[in-house]
């Protein structure tokens, strides 16, 4: 008897996720192996570091100034290599000073007040260099060469994965804003009883602001295209507010007017999607016959949106930067952007990790790296977030550890254990939640610890107990340092941010219409106000 099996068709989202996860995993294996061949087995962990950094770096856009960002990454990574080597060879007091200064630099540089942080992969990588694969002064030149190659890899990965990020973001976010307005017009005209969700309109403007902010050439150096992208989003938000103010019961004339606005907005959307090469001219008579004040406001807003859209996509605007006329002292002050939450977090965590490193190296603790990785993981900018992070880390360690003990006790062979470690790394791509991904990491980490010297259930279990002991100790110390000794709460940070937001918005309301105001300063304040409002709305 023959059975005909229907071909199973997986959902597109699942197929995309499978393809991305598999290709990413294969890329990691290839990269680490090539890196090890070129720079030696003692630097294989450096190859692993860069696979983490390449992925994590996508939080920020480095493609606007690739040469500048390459040099910045190269200098930082070379110093990390030098500092990690010095920490292991210098006398402990000097080792502490180098370590503290390096960690402080990394944390303050890569912690942000209202953008996604990227400090953790750098701190974790730095600790890897100290505790997993340290090198002496003789091995430092090869390691530095590896770090330089890694800096180049990060920029190339950015270019390959995100070179069209700005265009794609503008296209997607502005199209979504247009869709929301069109949906609301349909609701306003009583063609639908479903009220569209408009609560995320300002967060979309925040998304645009963050994109422009990340794309800056440097502080106070945003392109004209960046200005226009931001103005397009602000104009669309203003248009929605004007439509919301229209009467609940529309006249035939008002309903027809809104319908024409919707049709014009749809033309803007097709332009954003690249379906038409240019926008047709907009004339007042297309929208209304007899002008009212309300209609004039909407028409002018629509006309301004079209003008900014056309300017945003102009190739010359993308490469033109208006020079700021602000004095050097003011520019330096804006560039430093001194932040209490960043300073307190960097100081607290640098002190904690430097003292922890001193303790682990001073007493030569076996597996002491697990204590350090835990301290780094549970030390967060806000004390409020620490308990949940500790809970998730402990639960992930217990669940992943028990699975690892069972598997590695049953699989003593090197090949079998290698397969398990690789598989745990692969399936971690399918998880977003920290608890699940760290459980997978625990299986891999225990595999490395027991690989060649623990084979029975008792031997593997004892390694697991050592790991959980270090993680519990690290969690306890991290909790004490972050929540009792040097706490910084979200409430305190929010009060500071509200004060800052109020000062910026008041300045903009007073000076915003002044034609003498510096363009770069004005848009710097506009961007910061959007980012701060978005951050405050998140709580």
């Amino acid at each position: 008897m023959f059975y005909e099996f229907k071909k199973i068709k997986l959902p597109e989202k699942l197929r995309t996720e499978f393809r991305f996860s598999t290709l990413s995993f294969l890329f990691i294996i290839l990269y680490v192996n090539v890196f090890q061949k070129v720079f030696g087995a003692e630097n294989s962990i450096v190859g692993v570091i860069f696979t983490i950094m390449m992925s994590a770096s996508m939080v920020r856009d480095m493609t606007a100034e690739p040469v500048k960002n390459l040099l910045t990454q190269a200098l930082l990574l070379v110093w990390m290599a030098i500092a990690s080597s010095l920490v292991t060879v210098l006398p402990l007091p000097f080792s502490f000073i180098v370590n503290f200064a390096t960690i402080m630099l990394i944390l303050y540089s890569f912690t942000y007040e209202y953008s996604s942080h990227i400090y953790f992969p750098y701190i974790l990588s730095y600790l890897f260099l100290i505790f997993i694969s340290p090198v002496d002064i003789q091995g430092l030149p090869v390691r530095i060469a590896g770090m330089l190659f890694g800096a180049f890899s990060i920029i190339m990965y950015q270019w390959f994965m995100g070179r069209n990020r700005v265009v794609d973001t503008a296209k997607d976010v502005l199209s979504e804003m247009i869709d929301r307005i069109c949906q609301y017009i349909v609701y306003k005209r009583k063609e639908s009883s479903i009220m569209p969700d408009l609560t995320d309109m300002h967060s979309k403007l925040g998304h645009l602001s963050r994109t422009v902010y990340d794309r800056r050439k440097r502080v106070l150096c945003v392109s004209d295209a960046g200005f226009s992208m931001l103005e397009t989003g602000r104009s669309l938000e203003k248009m929605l507010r004007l439509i919301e103010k229209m009467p609940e019961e529309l006249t035939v004339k008002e309903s027809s007017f809104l319908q024409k606005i919707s049709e014009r907005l749809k033309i803007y959307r097709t332009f954003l999607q690249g379906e038409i090469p240019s926008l047709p001219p907009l004339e007042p008579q297309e929208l209304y016959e007899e002008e009212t004040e309300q209609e004039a406001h909407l028409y002018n807003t629509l006309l301004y949106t079209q003008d900014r859209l056309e300017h945003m996509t102009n190739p010359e605007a993308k490469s033109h930067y208006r020079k700021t006329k602000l004095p050097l002292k003011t520019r330096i002050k804006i560039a430093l952007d001194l932040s209490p939450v960043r300073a307190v977090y960097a100081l607290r965590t640098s002190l904690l990790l430097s003292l922890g490193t001193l303790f682990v190296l001073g007493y030569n603790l076996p597996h002491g790296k697990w204590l350090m990785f835990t301290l780094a993981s549970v030390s967060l900018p806000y004390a409020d977030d620490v308990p949940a992070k500790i809970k998730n880390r402990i639960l992930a360690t217990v669940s992943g550890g028990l699975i690892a003990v069972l598997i590695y006790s049953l699989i003593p062979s090197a090949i079998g254990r290698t397969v398990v470690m690789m598989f745990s790394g692969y399936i971690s791509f399918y998880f977003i939640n920290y608890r699940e991904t760290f459980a997978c990491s625990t299986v891999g980490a225990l595999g490395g610890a027991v690989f060649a010297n623990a084979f029975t259930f008792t031997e593997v279990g004892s390694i697991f107990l050592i790991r959980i002991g270090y993680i519990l100790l690290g969690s306890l110390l991290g909790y004490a340092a972050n929540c009792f000794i040097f706490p910084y709460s979200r409430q305190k940070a929010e009060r500071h941010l509200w004060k800052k937001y109020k000062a910026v918005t008041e300045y903009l309301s007073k000076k915003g219409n002044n034609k003498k105001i510096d363009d770069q300063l004005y848009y710097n304040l506009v961007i910061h106000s959007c980012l701060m409002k978005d951050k405050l709305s998140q709580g």
Side-chain angles (χ1 to χ4, degrees):
M1 184 180 291
F2 296 96
Y3 296 93
E4 185 178 341
F5 293 97
K6 289 185 178 180
K7 187 178 180 181
I8 299 173
K9 189 175 182 180
L10 296 174
E12 179 61 30
K13 184 179 178 182
L14 187 60
R15 280 185 287 152
T16 301
E17 187 177 1
F18 173 76
R19 184 165 53 247
F20 177 78
S21 299
T22 304
L23 289 174
S24 297
F25 182 68
L26 292 174
F27 169 74
I28 288 172
I29 294 173
L30 177 64
Y31 186 88
V32 172
N33 277 280
V34 170
F35 198 95
Q36 181 176 312
K37 289 281 186 185
V38 176
F39 299 102
E42 69 278 8
N43 286 303
S44 61
I45 192 63
V46 181
V48 175
I49 284 170
F50 286 121
T51 61
I52 297 170
M53 284 189 172
M54 280 186 272
S55 177
S57 73
M58 294 305 295
V59 172
R60 302 300 294 256
D61 186 355
M62 299 183 188
T63 58
E65 285 290 293
V67 176
K68 173 190 165 186
N69 285 310
L70 174 62
L71 291 173
T72 303
Q73 291 291 316
L75 287 171
L76 176 64
L77 293 169
V78 167
W79 173 246
M80 283 169 57
I82 294 170
S84 63
S85 181
L86 291 175
V87 165
T88 59
V89 298
L90 287 175
L92 291 180
F94 296 105
S95 169
F96 175 85
I97 294 170
V98 171
N99 203 24
F100 179 84
T102 303
I103 296 172
M104 185 82 179
L105 171 68
I106 294 170
L107 290 175
Y108 194 82
S109 300
F110 294 109
T111 306
Y112 307 103
E113 200 163 5
Y114 29 75
S115 296
S116 299
H117 309 303
I118 55 172
Y119 65 85
F120 189 67
Y122 287 89
I123 285 295
L124 187 64
S125 300
Y126 177 64
L127 294 175
F128 276 11
L129 295 176
I130 296 173
F131 293 103
I132 294 183
S133 183
V135 294
D136 55 21
I137 301 301
Q138 287 72 29
L140 197 52
V142 177
R143 174 148 295 182
I144 288 175
M147 299 303 263
L148 291 171
F149 179 79
F152 178 75
S153 301
I154 290 172
I155 301 302
M156 289 305 296
Y157 187 86
Q158 279 264 333
W159 182 83
F160 183 78
M161 298 294 288
R163 62 188 181 277
N164 296 321
R165 181 188 297 188
V166 176
V167 175
D168 291 340
T169 299
K171 180 176 69 175
D172 294 342
V173 175
L174 293 174
S175 293
E176 288 169 6
M177 293 179 80
I178 288 171
D179 290 341
R180 288 286 189 279
I181 297 172
C182 291
Q183 289 163 10
Y184 184 68
I185 288 174
V186 169
Y187 171 78
K188 193 83 173 174
R189 297 180 72 239
K190 309 293 185 185
E191 294 176 349
S192 171
S193 59
I194 301 172
M195 170 70 171
D197 182 13
L198 305 176
T199 56
D200 62 346
M201 279 292 280
H202 195 81
S203 68
K204 293 185 186 304
L205 186 57
H207 191 172
L208 284 177
S209 300
R210 189 168 293 108
T211 300
V212 174
Y213 182 78
D214 289 344
R215 190 73 180 178
R216 296 173 304 169
K217 205 171 185 180
R218 56 183 175 274
V219 176
L220 296 172
C221 193
V222 174
S223 70
D224 282 5
F227 292 159
S228 295
M229 185 196 301
L230 194 57
E231 283 300 306
T232 303
R234 294 175 75 198
S235 184
L236 287 170
E237 187 184 38
K238 179 183 177 182
M239 192 183 304
L240 177 64
R241 302 303 166 225
L242 289 171
I243 295 171
E244 284 181 314
K245 290 178 181 178
M246 293 183 74
E248 187 174 341
E249 295 296 329
L250 299 173
T251 64
V252 174
K253 180 186 173 186
E254 289 169 335
S255 179
S256 173
F257 177 63
L258 287 183
Q259 175 62 27
K260 291 173 182 176
I261 285 179
S262 179
E263 290 169 0
R264 172 57 64 160
L265 286 173
K266 288 173 182 175
I267 293 174
Y268 293 172
R269 194 186 194 285
T270 58
F271 175 69
L272 281 166
Q273 298 296 322
E275 296 172 17
I276 55 175
S278 60
L279 290 170
L282 176 63
E283 301 295 339
Q285 57 268 24
E286 292 181 34
L287 301 180
Y288 52 80
E289 295 176 1
E290 193 175 323
E291 180 181 323
T292 65
E293 184 179 352
Q294 192 175 52
E295 289 171 344
H297 280 163
L298 272 168
Y299 168 75
N300 289 331
T301 305
L302 195 64
L303 187 64
Y304 183 69
T305 303
Q306 174 157 332
D307 178 70
R308 293 300 87 193
L309 271 174
E310 290 173 328
H311 196 254
M312 181 186 81
T313 53
N314 187 333
E316 291 182 7
K318 295 177 183 179
S319 57
H320 184 260
Y321 297 82
R322 301 178 207 178
K323 289 186 178 181
T324 179
K325 297 176 183 177
L326 294 174
L328 180 62
K329 184 179 177 181
T330 305
R331 281 182 277 165
I332 291 172
K333 186 179 177 182
I334 293 171
L336 288 175
D337 190 24
L338 296 176
S339 163
V341 64
R342 292 170 65 197
V344 171
Y345 171 66
L347 182 63
R348 178 183 68 229
T349 307
S350 300
L351 186 60
L352 180 62
L353 292 179
S354 298
L355 289 172
T357 302
L358 203 66
F359 176 70
V360 172
L361 293 180
Y363 287 95
N364 197 24
L365 296 179
H367 303 297
K369 59 181 178 287
W370 290 335
L371 170 65
M372 295 306 303
F373 299 158
T374 301
L375 286 174
S377 178
V378 302
S379 295
L380 303 173
Y382 303 116
D384 318 60
D385 301 334
V386 173
K389 188 66 176 285
I390 289 174
K391 177 185 174 183
N392 285 329
R393 191 170 183 88
I394 291 173
L395 289 175
T397 301
V398 171
S399 58
L402 291 175
I403 293 170
V405 169
L406 179 63
I407 292 174
Y408 295 131
S409 299
L410 296 173
I411 304 175
S413 70
I415 294 176
R417 290 182 170 189
T418 301
V419 171
V420 171
M421 290 162 64
M422 292 178 69
F423 183 71
S424 69
Y426 174 69
I427 61 171
S428 67
F429 282 101
Y430 293 93
F431 298 117
I432 299 173
N433 187 282
Y434 173 77
R435 189 184 299 180
E436 282 82 15
T437 54
F438 189 69
C440 295
S441 298
T442 299
V443 174
L446 277 175
V450 305
F451 191 78
N453 54 14
F455 301 97
T456 66
F457 182 84
T458 305
E459 291 171 338
V460 176
S462 65
I463 298 293
F464 166 63
L465 291 176
I466 292 171
R467 179 178 174 86
I468 193 68
Y470 274 124
I471 284 175
L472 289 172
L473 177 60
S475 298
L476 181 63
L477 293 173
Y479 183 74
N482 289 278
C483 299
F484 292 107
I485 302 173
F486 302 113
Y488 199 98
S489 66
R490 278 189 176 276
Q491 188 178 27
K492 188 175 181 179
E494 194 171 304
R495 284 199 303 268
H496 169 74
L497 200 57
W498 268 116
K499 186 178 178 182
K500 198 172 177 181
Y501 176 70
K502 186 179 178 182
V504 168
T505 51
E506 284 179 355
Y507 185 89
L508 282 171
S509 64
K510 290 177 182 177
K511 304 286 187 179
N513 294 325
N514 187 347
K515 292 182 179 180
K516 293 181 180 179
I517 189 171
D518 186 90
D519 288 332
Q520 292 291 349
L521 174 62
Y522 173 74
Y523 280 103
N524 181 69
L525 293 172
V526 168
I527 290 167
H528 276 75
S529 68
C530 290
L531 293 176
M532 284 187 276
K533 187 175 181 180
D534 195 37
K535 180 73 174 180
L536 288 166
S537 67
Q538 294 170 13

